Amino acid sequence: MSQELKTSMEKAPQRALLKALGLTDEEIGKPLIAIVSAKSEIVPGHIHLDRITDAVKAGVYAGGCTPIVLPAIGVCDGIAMGHKGMRYSLPSRELIADSVETMLIAHMFDGAVFVPNCDKVVPGMLMGAARVNIPSAFVSGGPMESGIFHGKKVGLSSIFEGVGAVKKGALSRDELDELESVACPGCGSCCGMYTANSMNCILEALGMALPGNGTALAASADRVRIAKHTGEAICTLVRDAITPRMIMTKRALTNALTLDMALGASTNTVLHMLAIAAECNITLDLDFVNGISNKTPTLCKLSPSSETDMADLGRAGGVMAVLHELAKKGLIDGSASTVHNCALADEYEHAHVIDESVIHKIDNPVSPVGGITVLKGNLAELGAVVKRAGVAKNMMNFTGKAKCFNSEEDAVNAIYSGRISKGDVVVIRYEGPIGGPGMREMLAPTAALCGMGLDNDVALVTDGRFSGATHGAAVGHVSPEAAEGGKIALVADGDIIKIDIPGGKINLDVPAKMLDARRKKLRPKDNDASGWLLRYQNLVTSASTGAVLKKKF
C-alpha cells in the first residue's frame, strides 16, 4: 500500500514526515512492515514483548524490508478477574481489531507482523488482520514456566483455588502467601492450556504463525529465533502478495478447530473462532463446531486438568506432532497454506510424538471425542458450551437443583459462605455479552467450588463465560442470554436442571405454562453501563455467533 507514498510528487509531505522518524530514502523505498506489539508493563504475558519485537525487526531488516513498531492494548484477564474490570476484557477484542484497521490503513503499510500473547489480543489482531487483508504473520510472546509449590507444578488457577482451600480450612493463610509468591514465576502467558495458550497454538494450525509459536517458552532463545524467522517470512509474503484471507480459508479454520478439540483447549476459543471466521466472510456456527468435536479425539490432558503444562507439550513434540497424529486419520487438511509459504503438511510431516504420556497417539486417545461440547435444549435454545475435557466422569450426566444468582459476586459469596451443597446447579445470569455487559469470565466461582471441594458434585451454568483455567462441569455461553429474555432468566431456586454432556443436552425441567407465567412477571436486571461499555452493549450480538458487533445498525 505504501507505494503511493514513495512515487508520487504530491506525497512529498508524507515522505517528509517519514524522514522525521529518522528513516532514510533507502528505508522508505523498501516495503514498510508494521510490527504491532502489545507490550505493556501491566500484563505478565506482555512485559517482555520488546525483546520479541526487536527480534522481529532484525528479521524484517534481514528480509529486505523496513520495520516500524506500533502499539496495541491488552487486558490481563487474571488481574481483571472477579471485579468490574473483567467487563472490559471481551470488548477489548473489538477495540484491538478496530485499532489494527485504523493504524494499518491510515499509514499505508505493506505488511504486518503481530506480536500478541494474551487472551483477547490474539483474536482481536487476527480479526483486524483479516479485515485489512494485507500480508500478515504472527509471533506470540510464549508461555510462562510453571511455578513449584511443595514439589508440585502450580499456576494461576492454583491461586484462585487456593483461596477456596483457605476458606475450607484445607490450606493455611501462610501457605497461600507462599503459593502466591511462586505460582507465576516470570514473564509469559499463564502456563496451562488456558485461552491465551489455546489461541497461540491455534495460530500454528491456522497457518498464521510458524511452528513452535504455541509452546516455545517466553524467555527461551527458541522464542527469539521464531521471531526473527517470522520477520523474514513477512517479507516473502509481501513480495508474493499473500494475504490473511488467502491463508485463513474454511479448511484452515477447520484445521484450527480440530486442533482445538484435540488439545482440550479453552471454551473461549469457540467465541473467537466464530468471530475470526466472520471477518474472513466465512460462516461458521455452533453446530459446525460440535460436528468437529464429535469426530476429533482428545489427544492431550493439559493444565488445568492435569499438571502437564505448555513446556511439557513442547518437549513432547508440540502442536505439529499433534497435527501429524490427527492427519493419520484424515482429520487435518494438509494442503492448507501457511505464512511459511508452504503447505501445512510440509510443516508437520517431520514432527513426531516424543512423549506419549503428554501427546497420546491417535489410536490411544485420552477420549474418542473432542475437548469441547456444544449443549442445546430448552435452557439454551441457541447453544451453550462446556469444556468436556475438564469434566469428571461422574458429572458428565448430572441432574441437580438450581440456585440462582444475578451476578458473579453474589454466587461467589454464596459458595464461600457454605450456601452451596452437593447436588446443586449454580446458575449465574445477566453476565452475557449484553447483560453484563461484557460477558465476564467466571474463574472466581469455579475456582471457589474447586477450593471448597465441590467441583465434582456441583455444576455451574451461566450466560457468561469461563477462563481457560476453569475445570469442572461449567457450562457457559448460554444463549439466548438472560438480558435477551432467554429461559435462563426464568430459572427459580429449586428448579431441576438436567445436563447431559455426552448427549449434548441441557434442559430445565419446568412446565411451559409455569415458565410463561414467570415471564409475565419478569423484570430484567438493570445495569449502569456507560462509556464504551454502553456502546458495546448496544452493538454486541449473541455468544452463539461469537459475540461480534453488529455490522448494520
Side-chain angles (χ1 to χ4, degrees):
M1 289 200 299
S2 70
Q3 195 61 30
E4 184 181 346
L5 295 178
K6 301 170 183 179
T7 58
S8 169
M9 181 270 291
E10 288 78 11
K11 294 299 185 292
Q14 285 84 350
R15 291 193 294 276
L17 291 168
L18 291 175
K19 289 181 178 180
L21 301 175
L23 295 178
T24 65
D25 286 328
E26 291 75 17
E27 288 174 311
I28 294 171
K30 297 174 182 177
L32 300 182
I33 307 299
I35 304 178
V36 186
S37 171
K39 156 76 178 181
S40 77
E41 295 185 354
I42 189 58
V43 184
H46 297 172
I47 187 70
H48 65 303
L49 292 188
D50 48 357
R51 182 174 184 237
I52 309 302
T53 300
D54 286 344
V56 175
K57 288 173 68 175
V60 170
Y61 276 125
C65 298
T66 300
I68 300 174
V69 178
L70 307 177
I73 65 167
V75 171
C76 177
D77 279 12
I79 296 174
M81 196 75 67
H83 58 86
K84 65 182 180 181
M86 179 48 72
R87 301 198 190 285
Y88 289 86
S89 174
L90 184 59
S92 74
R93 186 187 73 181
E94 315 308 315
L95 291 178
I96 293 164
D98 288 349
S99 65
V100 164
E101 174 188 359
T102 300
M103 294 297 284
L104 295 189
I105 294 178
H107 301 106
M108 300 188 73
F109 282 100
D110 299 297
V113 175
F114 295 89
V115 187
N117 212 26
C118 291
D119 296 20
K120 311 309 168 294
V121 188
V122 178
M125 287 182 174
L126 279 168
M127 291 163 68
R131 193 182 301 171
V132 177
N133 204 35
I134 61 172
S136 301
F138 282 68
V139 54
S140 302
M144 184 187 295
E145 290 189 74
S146 292
I148 302 294
F149 178 70
H150 294 182
K152 292 185 177 181
K153 290 182 181 179
V154 291
L156 180 64
S157 61
S158 308
I159 291 289
F160 279 94
E161 294 168 15
V163 174
V166 172
K167 299 272 188 181
K168 186 185 177 184
L171 193 72
S172 72
R173 181 57 194 272
D174 287 344
E175 287 174 316
L176 181 65
D177 290 343
E178 181 186 350
L179 176 60
E180 176 186 317
S181 297
V182 300
C184 301
C187 64
S189 49
C190 295
C191 60
M193 187 52 74
Y194 309 159
T195 308
N197 290 326
S198 298
M199 290 304 304
N200 289 333
C201 289
I202 280 173
L203 282 170
E204 293 188 46
L206 194 58
M208 291 300 294
L210 301 185
N213 180 74
T215 55
L217 291 175
S220 67
D222 196 20
R223 175 63 51 183
V224 174
R225 288 192 292 270
I226 292 170
K228 289 179 180 178
H229 288 314
T230 304
E232 292 178 294
I234 189 62
C235 298
T236 300
L237 293 174
V238 169
R239 293 189 185 100
D240 293 344
I242 297 173
T243 62
R245 278 186 249 159
M246 295 168 67
I247 295 173
M248 291 194 287
T249 60
K250 191 165 185 176
R251 61 183 174 177
L253 291 164
T254 302
N255 286 341
L257 283 166
T258 301
L259 174 75
D260 190 17
M261 300 307 166
L263 292 176
S266 165
T267 52
N268 280 320
T269 58
V270 175
L271 278 176
H272 300 326
M273 293 305 292
L274 294 178
I276 294 161
E279 292 290 353
C280 295
N281 299 317
I282 297 169
T283 300
L284 297 183
D285 58 25
L286 291 179
D287 290 335
F288 182 82
V289 174
N290 213 32
I292 292 174
S293 183
N294 287 337
K295 68 180 182 182
T296 303
T298 301
L299 300 184
C300 303
K301 193 174 183 66
L302 303 165
S303 172
S305 298
S306 75
E307 282 192 39
T308 306
D309 60 15
M310 298 305 297
D312 293 326
L313 177 61
R315 286 190 287 266
V319 168
M320 291 298 147
V322 177
L323 292 176
H324 195 173
E325 285 301 308
L326 294 168
K328 291 177 180 177
K329 297 290 186 181
L331 297 172
I332 294 295
D333 187 338
S335 67
S337 301
T338 76
V339 294
H340 229 168
N341 207 17
C342 66
L344 184 62
D346 295 333
E347 304 276 39
Y348 64 66
E349 66 175 344
H350 299 299
H352 299 283
V353 175
I354 298 169
D355 185 346
E356 293 183 30
S357 70
V358 177
I359 303 173
H360 287 228
K361 290 297 191 78
I362 194 75
D363 293 323
N364 180 37
V366 176
S367 166
V369 290
I372 295 174
T373 297
V374 174
L375 309 180
K376 287 190 174 181
N378 68 349
L379 190 55
E381 293 163 322
L382 297 179
V385 179
V386 63
K387 185 173 179 177
R388 174 167 45 191
V391 179
K393 289 183 179 179
N394 68 296
M395 296 295 289
M396 288 290 182
N397 283 281
F398 184 78
T399 298
K401 292 183 178 180
K403 286 192 177 174
C404 302
F405 305 92
N406 287 346
S407 74
E408 174 189 7
E409 290 83 356
D410 289 347
V412 172
N413 289 335
I415 295 167
Y416 283 148
S417 63
R419 288 184 280 139
I420 303 301
S421 304
K422 292 182 178 182
D424 286 342
V425 178
V426 176
V427 177
I428 306 177
R429 56 201 176 193
Y430 295 104
E431 291 284 7
I434 297 170
M439 202 179 185
R440 290 194 291 178
E441 286 185 344
M442 301 288 148
L443 179 56
T446 56
L449 290 172
C450 291
M452 297 289 281
L454 294 170
D455 52 313
N456 289 335
D457 299 286
V458 172
L460 196 156
V461 175
T462 180
D463 52 9
R465 60 193 178 91
F466 294 108
S467 164
T470 291
H471 57 104
V475 180
H477 308 194
V478 171
S479 303
E481 62 175 286
E484 290 186 296
K487 285 191 175 68
I488 191 172
L490 306 177
V491 182
D493 287 350
D495 286 351
I496 299 299
I497 293 176
K498 297 179 178 179
I499 301 170
D500 176 5
I501 294 174
K505 298 176 182 178
I506 181 168
N507 284 294
L508 176 64
D509 191 10
V510 175
K513 286 185 178 181
M514 185 177 291
L515 292 177
D516 289 341
R518 290 180 188 177
R519 188 176 295 281
K520 291 176 182 178
K521 298 178 181 179
L522 181 65
R523 296 294 180 269
K525 178 188 173 185
D526 292 327
N527 59 57
D528 56 354
S530 61
W532 157 232
L533 287 185
L534 180 59
R535 297 197 300 276
Y536 181 83
Q537 184 177 54
N538 283 281
L539 293 174
V540 72
T541 61
S542 169
S544 64
T545 57
V548 297
L549 301 187
K550 298 172 185 174
K551 292 188 176 180
K552 294 182 179 180
F553 46 88

